[in-house]
Amino acid sequence: MSEPQLAPTAVRPEPAPYTLWQLVLYFLKLGTVGFGGPVALVGYMFRDLVERRRWISEEDYKDGLALSQLAPGPLAAQLGFYLGYVHYGVIGSTLAGIAFVLPSFLMVVALGWAYQLYGGISWMQAVFYAVGSSVIGIIAFSAYKLTAKTVGRDRVLWGIFAVVALYTAWTETEYVLLILGAGVLYWLLKSAKRPGRVQASFFALPADTLTHAASGAVTAAGSSTLWELLLFFAKAGAFVFGSGIAIVPFLFSGVVKEHGWLTDSQFVDAVAVAMITPGPVVITTGFIGFLVAGFSGAAVAALATFLPAYLLTIVPAPFFKKYGRRPGIAHFVTGVTAAACGAIAGAVFVLGKRSIVDLPTLLFALVTLLLLWKVKKASEPVIVLGAAVLGLIVYPLTH
């Protein structure tokens, strides 16, 4: 009697090499000790998740970086949303995003409380004097590693990189059409087939819908301060491309000039708070919201800023995961990635111009860069803490 034949085993997708809890803990740690702003943060994610732990493939990382550059909103937060989505979908994106943003949000709320209690943060100038320039060294090193890995030796990609870097450095802003154009150009150069249409319209739809919904809510609820905060910061999150570079002028125009919520000096302090705390730079919106309307204002401002970025990541994410490996799409993403690296390099110059103002700050930046270059186990949080202590000593002597 012949033995019964077993039914063929279904092929299952390869399981994630990490648990959802491990991913949440990683982003919680990154949000707690991840200094350096968006450029450094995306570099940390590449180093930790792609190179060291091998949780995320290099292709998935590049897709996430490209999508983060194409869609408006904070770069590092969007990349975190996408990397959370790769293996665990919407729940992974949601939990990773909350874990990433929550630590810095609590920090800026605490600083906002201290700021109001003591009438300003006089010691912050001394700390930011050193930390700001040290952070430039961290950002420059992260940008170098990211560029060397993603651009490689392709002359066309280096040309794209150079053009976007020069444009960003010269204009001090990021132009999304230039980044999109880089993807289309590389697609045309690498593919002999008809390039087809670049489906970018879906990036604008959720943002537009969200803003109209917020406008309707504001109209229905009246013009209270919290609803004004919701509408303004939803626009900031939905329509401002790039990271702190692009959003700071937008915030200044609305917060100081249009609404008069803060004075010029208060706004500068708000930006300083965002720079000396870990996590996304745009968490400064939480500090601003706290000064305007207490904890409720902080929560509304932060939620309104990050919600559009979250939606503009998870809505197109399935498209990138499903079609991102096709040759045409892959060429487009490669071109966009090279342009993103150029924008990041340009951002290093822009931020450096504001933070490196004399010989001591130049030395802080160079020593930080040298430590990261030569000492493999150098810890960025320890470097930032050391710079803060030195700033408290050096700043009074130089000013």
PDB file of all heavy atoms in Angstrom, residues 72-74 77-78 81 210 229-240 247 251 280-286 298-312:
ATOM      1  N   PRO A  72       6.482  65.637   1.875  1.00  0.00           N
ATOM      2  CA  PRO A  72       6.757  66.693   2.848  1.00  0.00           C
ATOM      3  C   PRO A  72       6.764  66.157   4.273  1.00  0.00           C
ATOM      4  O   PRO A  72       6.184  65.115   4.551  1.00  0.00           O
ATOM      5  CB  PRO A  72       5.591  67.662   2.633  1.00  0.00           C
ATOM      6  CG  PRO A  72       4.493  66.826   2.082  1.00  0.00           C
ATOM      7  CD  PRO A  72       5.172  65.782   1.244  1.00  0.00           C
ATOM      8  N   GLY A  73       7.433  66.891   5.155  1.00  0.00           N
ATOM      9  CA  GLY A  73       7.492  66.487   6.551  1.00  0.00           C
ATOM     10  C   GLY A  73       8.914  66.268   7.019  1.00  0.00           C
ATOM     11  O   GLY A  73       9.861  66.347   6.237  1.00  0.00           O
ATOM     12  N   PRO A  74       9.100  65.979   8.310  1.00  0.00           N
ATOM     13  CA  PRO A  74      10.431  65.776   8.890  1.00  0.00           C
ATOM     14  C   PRO A  74      11.086  64.498   8.378  1.00  0.00           C
ATOM     15  O   PRO A  74      10.519  63.410   8.492  1.00  0.00           O
ATOM     16  CB  PRO A  74      10.166  65.716  10.397  1.00  0.00           C
ATOM     17  CG  PRO A  74       8.733  65.316  10.519  1.00  0.00           C
ATOM     18  CD  PRO A  74       8.031  65.893   9.328  1.00  0.00           C
ATOM     19  N   ALA A  77      11.875  61.416  10.985  1.00  0.00           N
ATOM     20  CA  ALA A  77      10.655  60.777  11.472  1.00  0.00           C
ATOM     21  C   ALA A  77      10.012  59.937  10.383  1.00  0.00           C
ATOM     22  O   ALA A  77       9.550  58.811  10.632  1.00  0.00           O
ATOM     23  CB  ALA A  77       9.680  61.836  11.978  1.00  0.00           C
ATOM     24  N   GLN A  78       9.980  60.456   9.153  1.00  0.00           N
ATOM     25  CA  GLN A  78       9.372  59.700   8.058  1.00  0.00           C
ATOM     26  C   GLN A  78      10.148  58.425   7.758  1.00  0.00           C
ATOM     27  O   GLN A  78       9.559  57.383   7.483  1.00  0.00           O
ATOM     28  CB  GLN A  78       9.291  60.575   6.809  1.00  0.00           C
ATOM     29  CG  GLN A  78       8.187  61.614   6.878  1.00  0.00           C
ATOM     30  CD  GLN A  78       8.207  62.523   5.668  1.00  0.00           C
ATOM     31  OE1 GLN A  78       9.175  63.239   5.444  1.00  0.00           O
ATOM     32  NE2 GLN A  78       7.152  62.502   4.901  1.00  0.00           N
ATOM     33  N   PHE A  81       9.186  55.992  10.352  1.00  0.00           N
ATOM     34  CA  PHE A  81       7.867  55.431  10.048  1.00  0.00           C
ATOM     35  C   PHE A  81       7.989  54.316   9.009  1.00  0.00           C
ATOM     36  O   PHE A  81       7.381  53.254   9.144  1.00  0.00           O
ATOM     37  CB  PHE A  81       6.932  56.518   9.506  1.00  0.00           C
ATOM     38  CG  PHE A  81       6.569  57.588  10.491  1.00  0.00           C
ATOM     39  CD1 PHE A  81       6.342  58.891  10.072  1.00  0.00           C
ATOM     40  CD2 PHE A  81       6.436  57.299  11.843  1.00  0.00           C
ATOM     41  CE1 PHE A  81       6.001  59.886  10.977  1.00  0.00           C
ATOM     42  CE2 PHE A  81       6.086  58.281  12.761  1.00  0.00           C
ATOM     43  CZ  PHE A  81       5.876  59.577  12.322  1.00  0.00           C
ATOM     44  N   LEU A 210      -6.026  66.222   4.427  1.00  0.00           N
ATOM     45  CA  LEU A 210      -5.860  66.459   5.855  1.00  0.00           C
ATOM     46  C   LEU A 210      -6.013  67.929   6.196  1.00  0.00           C
ATOM     47  O   LEU A 210      -6.675  68.291   7.166  1.00  0.00           O
ATOM     48  CB  LEU A 210      -4.478  65.958   6.306  1.00  0.00           C
ATOM     49  CG  LEU A 210      -4.160  66.165   7.782  1.00  0.00           C
ATOM     50  CD1 LEU A 210      -5.054  65.291   8.633  1.00  0.00           C
ATOM     51  CD2 LEU A 210      -2.698  65.866   8.064  1.00  0.00           C
ATOM     52  N   LEU A 229      -3.536  76.439  16.537  1.00  0.00           N
ATOM     53  CA  LEU A 229      -2.290  75.673  16.569  1.00  0.00           C
ATOM     54  C   LEU A 229      -2.396  74.434  15.685  1.00  0.00           C
ATOM     55  O   LEU A 229      -1.474  74.108  14.929  1.00  0.00           O
ATOM     56  CB  LEU A 229      -1.957  75.254  18.004  1.00  0.00           C
ATOM     57  CG  LEU A 229      -1.428  76.326  18.953  1.00  0.00           C
ATOM     58  CD1 LEU A 229      -1.396  75.790  20.383  1.00  0.00           C
ATOM     59  CD2 LEU A 229      -0.044  76.783  18.540  1.00  0.00           C
ATOM     60  N   LEU A 230      -3.528  73.737  15.782  1.00  0.00           N
ATOM     61  CA  LEU A 230      -3.733  72.533  14.974  1.00  0.00           C
ATOM     62  C   LEU A 230      -3.631  72.835  13.489  1.00  0.00           C
ATOM     63  O   LEU A 230      -2.925  72.144  12.738  1.00  0.00           O
ATOM     64  CB  LEU A 230      -5.100  71.925  15.301  1.00  0.00           C
ATOM     65  CG  LEU A 230      -5.519  70.722  14.441  1.00  0.00           C
ATOM     66  CD1 LEU A 230      -4.617  69.537  14.701  1.00  0.00           C
ATOM     67  CD2 LEU A 230      -6.976  70.353  14.700  1.00  0.00           C
ATOM     68  N   LEU A 231      -4.312  73.871  13.039  1.00  0.00           N
ATOM     69  CA  LEU A 231      -4.326  74.199  11.621  1.00  0.00           C
ATOM     70  C   LEU A 231      -2.951  74.631  11.143  1.00  0.00           C
ATOM     71  O   LEU A 231      -2.462  74.167  10.108  1.00  0.00           O
ATOM     72  CB  LEU A 231      -5.344  75.315  11.351  1.00  0.00           C
ATOM     73  CG  LEU A 231      -5.416  75.814   9.907  1.00  0.00           C
ATOM     74  CD1 LEU A 231      -5.795  74.674   8.964  1.00  0.00           C
ATOM     75  CD2 LEU A 231      -6.399  76.968   9.778  1.00  0.00           C
ATOM     76  N   PHE A 232      -2.302  75.502  11.915  1.00  0.00           N
ATOM     77  CA  PHE A 232      -1.001  76.016  11.481  1.00  0.00           C
ATOM     78  C   PHE A 232       0.043  74.910  11.397  1.00  0.00           C
ATOM     79  O   PHE A 232       0.770  74.782  10.404  1.00  0.00           O
ATOM     80  CB  PHE A 232      -0.525  77.115  12.440  1.00  0.00           C
ATOM     81  CG  PHE A 232       0.870  77.575  12.146  1.00  0.00           C
ATOM     82  CD1 PHE A 232       1.138  78.384  11.055  1.00  0.00           C
ATOM     83  CD2 PHE A 232       1.930  77.175  12.949  1.00  0.00           C
ATOM     84  CE1 PHE A 232       2.433  78.793  10.763  1.00  0.00           C
ATOM     85  CE2 PHE A 232       3.225  77.581  12.661  1.00  0.00           C
ATOM     86  CZ  PHE A 232       3.478  78.392  11.570  1.00  0.00           C
ATOM     87  N   PHE A 233       0.135  74.083  12.436  1.00  0.00           N
ATOM     88  CA  PHE A 233       1.176  73.055  12.441  1.00  0.00           C
ATOM     89  C   PHE A 233       0.838  71.890  11.518  1.00  0.00           C
ATOM     90  O   PHE A 233       1.740  71.192  11.047  1.00  0.00           O
ATOM     91  CB  PHE A 233       1.446  72.590  13.869  1.00  0.00           C
ATOM     92  CG  PHE A 233       2.206  73.590  14.688  1.00  0.00           C
ATOM     93  CD1 PHE A 233       1.586  74.294  15.707  1.00  0.00           C
ATOM     94  CD2 PHE A 233       3.539  73.843  14.418  1.00  0.00           C
ATOM     95  CE1 PHE A 233       2.282  75.231  16.447  1.00  0.00           C
ATOM     96  CE2 PHE A 233       4.243  74.772  15.157  1.00  0.00           C
ATOM     97  CZ  PHE A 233       3.622  75.478  16.173  1.00  0.00           C
ATOM     98  N   ALA A 234      -0.443  71.672  11.230  1.00  0.00           N
ATOM     99  CA  ALA A 234      -0.799  70.688  10.203  1.00  0.00           C
ATOM    100  C   ALA A 234      -0.301  71.142   8.843  1.00  0.00           C
ATOM    101  O   ALA A 234       0.196  70.348   8.042  1.00  0.00           O
ATOM    102  CB  ALA A 234      -2.310  70.472  10.177  1.00  0.00           C
ATOM    103  N   LYS A 235      -0.428  72.439   8.563  1.00  0.00           N
ATOM    104  CA  LYS A 235       0.114  72.969   7.307  1.00  0.00           C
ATOM    105  C   LYS A 235       1.631  72.820   7.272  1.00  0.00           C
ATOM    106  O   LYS A 235       2.215  72.467   6.247  1.00  0.00           O
ATOM    107  CB  LYS A 235      -0.269  74.442   7.161  1.00  0.00           C
ATOM    108  CG  LYS A 235      -1.728  74.683   6.824  1.00  0.00           C
ATOM    109  CD  LYS A 235      -2.003  76.173   6.656  1.00  0.00           C
ATOM    110  CE  LYS A 235      -3.456  76.418   6.278  1.00  0.00           C
ATOM    111  NZ  LYS A 235      -3.755  77.867   6.132  1.00  0.00           N
ATOM    112  N   ALA A 236       2.278  73.101   8.412  1.00  0.00           N
ATOM    113  CA  ALA A 236       3.737  72.972   8.463  1.00  0.00           C
ATOM    114  C   ALA A 236       4.162  71.540   8.178  1.00  0.00           C
ATOM    115  O   ALA A 236       5.122  71.294   7.441  1.00  0.00           O
ATOM    116  CB  ALA A 236       4.247  73.412   9.834  1.00  0.00           C
ATOM    117  N   GLY A 237       3.449  70.582   8.745  1.00  0.00           N
ATOM    118  CA  GLY A 237       3.799  69.187   8.531  1.00  0.00           C
ATOM    119  C   GLY A 237       3.432  68.662   7.168  1.00  0.00           C
ATOM    120  O   GLY A 237       4.060  67.735   6.660  1.00  0.00           O
ATOM    121  N   ALA A 238       2.412  69.265   6.544  1.00  0.00           N
ATOM    122  CA  ALA A 238       1.909  68.732   5.276  1.00  0.00           C
ATOM    123  C   ALA A 238       2.547  69.360   4.052  1.00  0.00           C
ATOM    124  O   ALA A 238       2.562  68.760   2.985  1.00  0.00           O
ATOM    125  CB  ALA A 238       0.390  68.924   5.202  1.00  0.00           C
ATOM    126  N   PHE A 239       3.072  70.567   4.179  1.00  0.00           N
ATOM    127  CA  PHE A 239       3.517  71.272   2.986  1.00  0.00           C
ATOM    128  C   PHE A 239       4.970  71.726   3.004  1.00  0.00           C
ATOM    129  O   PHE A 239       5.442  72.315   2.043  1.00  0.00           O
ATOM    130  CB  PHE A 239       2.627  72.491   2.732  1.00  0.00           C
ATOM    131  CG  PHE A 239       1.216  72.135   2.376  1.00  0.00           C
ATOM    132  CD1 PHE A 239       0.182  72.372   3.257  1.00  0.00           C
ATOM    133  CD2 PHE A 239       0.935  71.522   1.175  1.00  0.00           C
ATOM    134  CE1 PHE A 239      -1.120  72.030   2.944  1.00  0.00           C
ATOM    135  CE2 PHE A 239      -0.366  71.165   0.840  1.00  0.00           C
ATOM    136  CZ  PHE A 239      -1.394  71.427   1.722  1.00  0.00           C
ATOM    137  N   VAL A 240       5.688  71.472   4.082  1.00  0.00           N
ATOM    138  CA  VAL A 240       7.087  71.893   4.148  1.00  0.00           C
ATOM    139  C   VAL A 240       7.982  70.690   3.915  1.00  0.00           C
ATOM    140  O   VAL A 240       7.921  69.712   4.656  1.00  0.00           O
ATOM    141  CB  VAL A 240       7.414  72.551   5.511  1.00  0.00           C
ATOM    142  CG1 VAL A 240       8.888  72.913   5.576  1.00  0.00           C
ATOM    143  CG2 VAL A 240       6.564  73.797   5.695  1.00  0.00           C
ATOM    144  N   ILE A 247      11.655  74.041   7.627  1.00  0.00           N
ATOM    145  CA  ILE A 247      10.515  74.329   8.481  1.00  0.00           C
ATOM    146  C   ILE A 247      10.738  75.531   9.389  1.00  0.00           C
ATOM    147  O   ILE A 247       9.790  76.204   9.782  1.00  0.00           O
ATOM    148  CB  ILE A 247      10.141  73.095   9.334  1.00  0.00           C
ATOM    149  CG1 ILE A 247       8.669  73.169   9.761  1.00  0.00           C
ATOM    150  CG2 ILE A 247      11.063  72.941  10.536  1.00  0.00           C
ATOM    151  CD1 ILE A 247       8.148  71.904  10.403  1.00  0.00           C
ATOM    152  N   LEU A 251       7.993  78.331  10.230  1.00  0.00           N
ATOM    153  CA  LEU A 251       7.525  78.524  11.602  1.00  0.00           C
ATOM    154  C   LEU A 251       7.717  79.959  12.059  1.00  0.00           C
ATOM    155  O   LEU A 251       6.850  80.531  12.721  1.00  0.00           O
ATOM    156  CB  LEU A 251       8.260  77.570  12.545  1.00  0.00           C
ATOM    157  CG  LEU A 251       7.987  76.076  12.389  1.00  0.00           C
ATOM    158  CD1 LEU A 251       8.801  75.279  13.399  1.00  0.00           C
ATOM    159  CD2 LEU A 251       6.501  75.765  12.544  1.00  0.00           C
ATOM    160  N   PRO A 280      13.970  64.216  16.558  1.00  0.00           N
ATOM    161  CA  PRO A 280      13.715  65.092  15.408  1.00  0.00           C
ATOM    162  C   PRO A 280      13.810  66.572  15.777  1.00  0.00           C
ATOM    163  O   PRO A 280      13.314  66.997  16.821  1.00  0.00           O
ATOM    164  CB  PRO A 280      12.275  64.729  14.999  1.00  0.00           C
ATOM    165  CG  PRO A 280      11.997  63.419  15.649  1.00  0.00           C
ATOM    166  CD  PRO A 280      12.813  63.368  16.896  1.00  0.00           C
ATOM    167  N   VAL A 281      14.433  67.362  14.901  1.00  0.00           N
ATOM    168  CA  VAL A 281      14.585  68.797  15.142  1.00  0.00           C
ATOM    169  C   VAL A 281      13.232  69.495  15.201  1.00  0.00           C
ATOM    170  O   VAL A 281      13.047  70.449  15.966  1.00  0.00           O
ATOM    171  CB  VAL A 281      15.479  69.423  14.057  1.00  0.00           C
ATOM    172  CG1 VAL A 281      15.483  70.951  14.170  1.00  0.00           C
ATOM    173  CG2 VAL A 281      16.900  68.905  14.175  1.00  0.00           C
ATOM    174  N   VAL A 282      12.264  69.022  14.420  1.00  0.00           N
ATOM    175  CA  VAL A 282      10.969  69.707  14.372  1.00  0.00           C
ATOM    176  C   VAL A 282      10.164  69.524  15.652  1.00  0.00           C
ATOM    177  O   VAL A 282       9.064  70.052  15.764  1.00  0.00           O
ATOM    178  CB  VAL A 282      10.125  69.250  13.158  1.00  0.00           C
ATOM    179  CG1 VAL A 282      10.783  69.646  11.871  1.00  0.00           C
ATOM    180  CG2 VAL A 282       9.871  67.751  13.203  1.00  0.00           C
ATOM    181  N   ILE A 283      10.732  68.813  16.646  1.00  0.00           N
ATOM    182  CA  ILE A 283      10.063  68.725  17.934  1.00  0.00           C
ATOM    183  C   ILE A 283      10.008  70.099  18.596  1.00  0.00           C
ATOM    184  O   ILE A 283       9.314  70.291  19.605  1.00  0.00           O
ATOM    185  CB  ILE A 283      10.765  67.700  18.851  1.00  0.00           C
ATOM    186  CG1 ILE A 283       9.831  67.242  19.977  1.00  0.00           C
ATOM    187  CG2 ILE A 283      12.063  68.271  19.397  1.00  0.00           C
ATOM    188  CD1 ILE A 283       8.579  66.556  19.513  1.00  0.00           C
ATOM    189  N   THR A 284      10.719  71.056  18.015  1.00  0.00           N
ATOM    190  CA  THR A 284      10.603  72.442  18.494  1.00  0.00           C
ATOM    191  C   THR A 284       9.148  72.906  18.477  1.00  0.00           C
ATOM    192  O   THR A 284       8.770  73.803  19.238  1.00  0.00           O
ATOM    193  CB  THR A 284      11.460  73.389  17.637  1.00  0.00           C
ATOM    194  OG1 THR A 284      11.436  74.697  18.219  1.00  0.00           O
ATOM    195  CG2 THR A 284      10.939  73.487  16.216  1.00  0.00           C
ATOM    196  N   THR A 285       8.321  72.299  17.625  1.00  0.00           N
ATOM    197  CA  THR A 285       6.899  72.660  17.611  1.00  0.00           C
ATOM    198  C   THR A 285       6.237  72.354  18.950  1.00  0.00           C
ATOM    199  O   THR A 285       5.327  73.061  19.373  1.00  0.00           O
ATOM    200  CB  THR A 285       6.158  71.917  16.491  1.00  0.00           C
ATOM    201  OG1 THR A 285       6.294  70.493  16.683  1.00  0.00           O
ATOM    202  CG2 THR A 285       6.718  72.292  15.124  1.00  0.00           C
ATOM    203  N   GLY A 286       6.698  71.300  19.639  1.00  0.00           N
ATOM    204  CA  GLY A 286       6.168  71.000  20.956  1.00  0.00           C
ATOM    205  C   GLY A 286       6.525  72.077  21.970  1.00  0.00           C
ATOM    206  O   GLY A 286       5.705  72.462  22.810  1.00  0.00           O
ATOM    207  N   ALA A 298       1.316  71.953  23.507  1.00  0.00           N
ATOM    208  CA  ALA A 298       2.456  71.150  23.063  1.00  0.00           C
ATOM    209  C   ALA A 298       1.997  69.879  22.367  1.00  0.00           C
ATOM    210  O   ALA A 298       2.519  69.503  21.306  1.00  0.00           O
ATOM    211  CB  ALA A 298       3.342  70.811  24.259  1.00  0.00           C
ATOM    212  N   ALA A 299       1.005  69.201  22.960  1.00  0.00           N
ATOM    213  CA  ALA A 299       0.503  67.949  22.386  1.00  0.00           C
ATOM    214  C   ALA A 299      -0.154  68.184  21.032  1.00  0.00           C
ATOM    215  O   ALA A 299       0.079  67.438  20.065  1.00  0.00           O
ATOM    216  CB  ALA A 299      -0.484  67.296  23.349  1.00  0.00           C
ATOM    217  N   VAL A 300      -0.969  69.228  20.931  1.00  0.00           N
ATOM    218  CA  VAL A 300      -1.649  69.526  19.666  1.00  0.00           C
ATOM    219  C   VAL A 300      -0.637  69.900  18.582  1.00  0.00           C
ATOM    220  O   VAL A 300      -0.726  69.424  17.439  1.00  0.00           O
ATOM    221  CB  VAL A 300      -2.673  70.665  19.871  1.00  0.00           C
ATOM    222  CG1 VAL A 300      -3.152  71.210  18.527  1.00  0.00           C
ATOM    223  CG2 VAL A 300      -3.859  70.172  20.688  1.00  0.00           C
ATOM    224  N   ALA A 301       0.336  70.749  18.919  1.00  0.00           N
ATOM    225  CA  ALA A 301       1.318  71.184  17.933  1.00  0.00           C
ATOM    226  C   ALA A 301       2.159  70.015  17.427  1.00  0.00           C
ATOM    227  O   ALA A 301       2.400  69.876  16.222  1.00  0.00           O
ATOM    228  CB  ALA A 301       2.223  72.263  18.537  1.00  0.00           C
ATOM    229  N   ALA A 302       2.609  69.146  18.337  1.00  0.00           N
ATOM    230  CA  ALA A 302       3.424  68.001  17.934  1.00  0.00           C
ATOM    231  C   ALA A 302       2.615  67.016  17.099  1.00  0.00           C
ATOM    232  O   ALA A 302       3.084  66.524  16.058  1.00  0.00           O
ATOM    233  CB  ALA A 302       4.002  67.312  19.167  1.00  0.00           C
ATOM    234  N   LEU A 303       1.389  66.713  17.543  1.00  0.00           N
ATOM    235  CA  LEU A 303       0.546  65.776  16.800  1.00  0.00           C
ATOM    236  C   LEU A 303       0.237  66.300  15.402  1.00  0.00           C
ATOM    237  O   LEU A 303       0.318  65.559  14.412  1.00  0.00           O
ATOM    238  CB  LEU A 303      -0.747  65.527  17.563  1.00  0.00           C
ATOM    239  CG  LEU A 303      -1.750  64.567  16.901  1.00  0.00           C
ATOM    240  CD1 LEU A 303      -1.148  63.176  16.785  1.00  0.00           C
ATOM    241  CD2 LEU A 303      -3.054  64.522  17.687  1.00  0.00           C
ATOM    242  N   ALA A 304      -0.094  67.589  15.302  1.00  0.00           N
ATOM    243  CA  ALA A 304      -0.429  68.172  14.005  1.00  0.00           C
ATOM    244  C   ALA A 304       0.770  68.188  13.074  1.00  0.00           C
ATOM    245  O   ALA A 304       0.620  68.080  11.854  1.00  0.00           O
ATOM    246  CB  ALA A 304      -0.969  69.594  14.194  1.00  0.00           C
ATOM    247  N   THR A 305       1.974  68.307  13.618  1.00  0.00           N
ATOM    248  CA  THR A 305       3.180  68.325  12.778  1.00  0.00           C
ATOM    249  C   THR A 305       3.513  66.945  12.248  1.00  0.00           C
ATOM    250  O   THR A 305       3.869  66.789  11.075  1.00  0.00           O
ATOM    251  CB  THR A 305       4.367  68.870  13.590  1.00  0.00           C
ATOM    252  OG1 THR A 305       4.056  70.179  14.075  1.00  0.00           O
ATOM    253  CG2 THR A 305       5.624  68.952  12.720  1.00  0.00           C
ATOM    254  N   PHE A 306       3.408  65.931  13.104  1.00  0.00           N
ATOM    255  CA  PHE A 306       3.858  64.591  12.714  1.00  0.00           C
ATOM    256  C   PHE A 306       2.784  63.750  12.038  1.00  0.00           C
ATOM    257  O   PHE A 306       3.114  62.811  11.304  1.00  0.00           O
ATOM    258  CB  PHE A 306       4.396  63.845  13.942  1.00  0.00           C
ATOM    259  CG  PHE A 306       5.722  64.331  14.401  1.00  0.00           C
ATOM    260  CD1 PHE A 306       5.826  65.170  15.493  1.00  0.00           C
ATOM    261  CD2 PHE A 306       6.886  63.972  13.737  1.00  0.00           C
ATOM    262  CE1 PHE A 306       7.060  65.641  15.924  1.00  0.00           C
ATOM    263  CE2 PHE A 306       8.125  64.429  14.151  1.00  0.00           C
ATOM    264  CZ  PHE A 306       8.211  65.267  15.247  1.00  0.00           C
ATOM    265  N   LEU A 307       1.510  64.048  12.250  1.00  0.00           N
ATOM    266  CA  LEU A 307       0.456  63.235  11.642  1.00  0.00           C
ATOM    267  C   LEU A 307       0.490  63.254  10.113  1.00  0.00           C
ATOM    268  O   LEU A 307       0.382  62.190   9.486  1.00  0.00           O
ATOM    269  CB  LEU A 307      -0.915  63.675  12.160  1.00  0.00           C
ATOM    270  CG  LEU A 307      -2.105  62.843  11.662  1.00  0.00           C
ATOM    271  CD1 LEU A 307      -1.947  61.382  12.060  1.00  0.00           C
ATOM    272  CD2 LEU A 307      -3.425  63.399  12.215  1.00  0.00           C
ATOM    273  N   PRO A 308       0.649  64.420   9.464  1.00  0.00           N
ATOM    274  CA  PRO A 308       0.752  64.396   7.999  1.00  0.00           C
ATOM    275  C   PRO A 308       1.933  63.560   7.517  1.00  0.00           C
ATOM    276  O   PRO A 308       1.819  62.817   6.534  1.00  0.00           O
ATOM    277  CB  PRO A 308       0.916  65.871   7.626  1.00  0.00           C
ATOM    278  CG  PRO A 308       0.346  66.621   8.777  1.00  0.00           C
ATOM    279  CD  PRO A 308       0.646  65.798   9.983  1.00  0.00           C
ATOM    280  N   ALA A 309       3.078  63.682   8.206  1.00  0.00           N
ATOM    281  CA  ALA A 309       4.251  62.900   7.814  1.00  0.00           C
ATOM    282  C   ALA A 309       3.981  61.407   7.933  1.00  0.00           C
ATOM    283  O   ALA A 309       4.398  60.611   7.084  1.00  0.00           O
ATOM    284  CB  ALA A 309       5.441  63.301   8.688  1.00  0.00           C
ATOM    285  N   TYR A 310       3.257  61.029   8.973  1.00  0.00           N
ATOM    286  CA  TYR A 310       2.906  59.618   9.175  1.00  0.00           C
ATOM    287  C   TYR A 310       2.015  59.118   8.041  1.00  0.00           C
ATOM    288  O   TYR A 310       2.273  58.065   7.441  1.00  0.00           O
ATOM    289  CB  TYR A 310       2.205  59.479  10.522  1.00  0.00           C
ATOM    290  CG  TYR A 310       1.575  58.136  10.771  1.00  0.00           C
ATOM    291  CD1 TYR A 310       2.347  57.035  11.099  1.00  0.00           C
ATOM    292  CD2 TYR A 310       0.190  57.971  10.675  1.00  0.00           C
ATOM    293  CE1 TYR A 310       1.768  55.796  11.343  1.00  0.00           C
ATOM    294  CE2 TYR A 310      -0.399  56.744  10.913  1.00  0.00           C
ATOM    295  CZ  TYR A 310       0.386  55.663  11.238  1.00  0.00           C
ATOM    296  OH  TYR A 310      -0.187  54.430  11.471  1.00  0.00           O
ATOM    297  N   LEU A 311       0.974  59.888   7.713  1.00  0.00           N
ATOM    298  CA  LEU A 311       0.053  59.481   6.646  1.00  0.00           C
ATOM    299  C   LEU A 311       0.750  59.460   5.294  1.00  0.00           C
ATOM    300  O   LEU A 311       0.501  58.569   4.470  1.00  0.00           O
ATOM    301  CB  LEU A 311      -1.146  60.428   6.608  1.00  0.00           C
ATOM    302  CG  LEU A 311      -2.072  60.390   7.837  1.00  0.00           C
ATOM    303  CD1 LEU A 311      -3.156  61.454   7.712  1.00  0.00           C
ATOM    304  CD2 LEU A 311      -2.687  59.009   8.011  1.00  0.00           C
ATOM    305  N   LEU A 312       1.633  60.437   5.056  1.00  0.00           N
ATOM    306  CA  LEU A 312       2.325  60.519   3.776  1.00  0.00           C
ATOM    307  C   LEU A 312       3.433  59.479   3.655  1.00  0.00           C
ATOM    308  O   LEU A 312       4.096  59.394   2.622  1.00  0.00           O
ATOM    309  CB  LEU A 312       2.893  61.922   3.574  1.00  0.00           C
ATOM    310  CG  LEU A 312       1.836  63.008   3.356  1.00  0.00           C
ATOM    311  CD1 LEU A 312       2.448  64.391   3.459  1.00  0.00           C
ATOM    312  CD2 LEU A 312       1.171  62.821   1.997  1.00  0.00           C
TER     313      LEU A 312
END
